[in-house]
Amino acid sequence: VRLAQGGWGLREEEGPSANNPRVCLVLIGRRREPLQETAALAEKYGAICQVAPCDVTNEGCVKATFASAKAAFGRVDLLFNNAGTNIGATSVVDFSSTDFRRIIDANLTGSFLCAREAMRMMKDQVPKGGRIINNGSISAQVPRPGGVAYTCSKFGVSGLTRTLALEGRAHNIPVGQID
């Protein structure tokens, strides 16, 4: 089963092929409607989908979502960490600590919580292993003015990815990042 955060990004021309009959997706996101739209599109191509509304900053919700995926499909083969948020360009002197924490929680803490649950399952399943892909950003290497929290969160995702990759090696869990 593949777990993907967010209901955005799957376009009809990119859907699973009809020659791949067993693609199971667990779509995780805060809002049910975009997840259902994505599921309907994937199901047109033969995917089996589970829609899982979940706030990835909520540890209990993340744990319950992964437990549900395990109950439904028995394993997790791929996690694509894609949840994220930002606000418009705001100078650091005007940036509220509330917005800073919200962005860090969604972009970094949510990725950590989902990756941790995925690794727990992947290292114990038979056959052992899986793949984790984190969605980073070029902002981690080339910050933009007005994006302090986003830049910090994506810099953190890069560190998270590197640490997960080191720890995942022993369990056949490669971890990578796209920017």
Side-chain angles (χ1 to χ4, degrees):
V1 65
R2 284 116 174 122
L3 281 93
Q5 298 173 345
W8 307 102
L10 182 64
R11 294 188 298 259
E12 193 159 352
E13 63 272 14
E14 296 173 344
S17 89
N19 296 328
N20 188 2
R22 181 100 163 104
V23 174
C24 302
L25 298 172
V26 178
L27 301 168
I28 304 170
R30 290 177 292 129
R31 295 176 297 134
R32 180 177 294 278
E33 185 175 303
L35 298 174
Q36 289 174 323
E37 290 171 8
T38 300
L41 181 56
E43 287 167 347
K44 281 176 40 178
Y45 294 93
I48 300 165
C49 296
Q50 181 182 71
V51 170
C54 175
D55 175 356
V56 296
T57 68
N58 180 312
E59 185 172 5
C61 187
V62 171
K63 285 182 176 186
T65 299
F66 277 80
S68 176
K70 184 175 183 177
F73 302 112
R75 61 183 295 113
V76 171
D77 296 306
L78 174 70
L79 169 68
F80 180 52
N81 261 327
N82 191 43
T85 192
N86 200 4
I87 62 172
T90 304
S91 170
V92 69
V93 299
D94 296 322
F95 217 99
S96 77
S97 60
T98 300
D99 282 337
F100 189 90
R101 281 189 207 94
R102 182 178 55 78
I103 292 167
I104 294 292
D105 279 351
N107 299 359
L108 179 57
T109 306
S111 291
F112 160 73
L113 292 172
C114 289
R116 182 183 66 184
E117 293 308 308
M119 284 187 87
R120 284 176 173 168
M121 288 179 61
M122 290 172 177
K123 73 179 194 64
D124 292 334
Q125 61 197 15
V126 179
K128 177 167 52 169
R131 307 292 181 265
I132 297 175
I133 302 167
N134 290 325
N135 191 3
S137 173
I138 194 68
S139 290
Q141 287 79 41
V142 185
R144 292 178 215 121
V148 65
Y150 186 79
T151 297
C152 289
S153 71
K154 293 304 183 172
F155 192 84
V157 167
S158 294
L160 174 67
T161 301
R162 291 175 181 176
T163 302
L164 294 171
L166 291 172
E167 293 187 18
R169 287 179 185 168
H171 304 289
N172 192 30
I173 306 170
V175 181
Q177 178 174 312
I178 57 173
D179 289 330

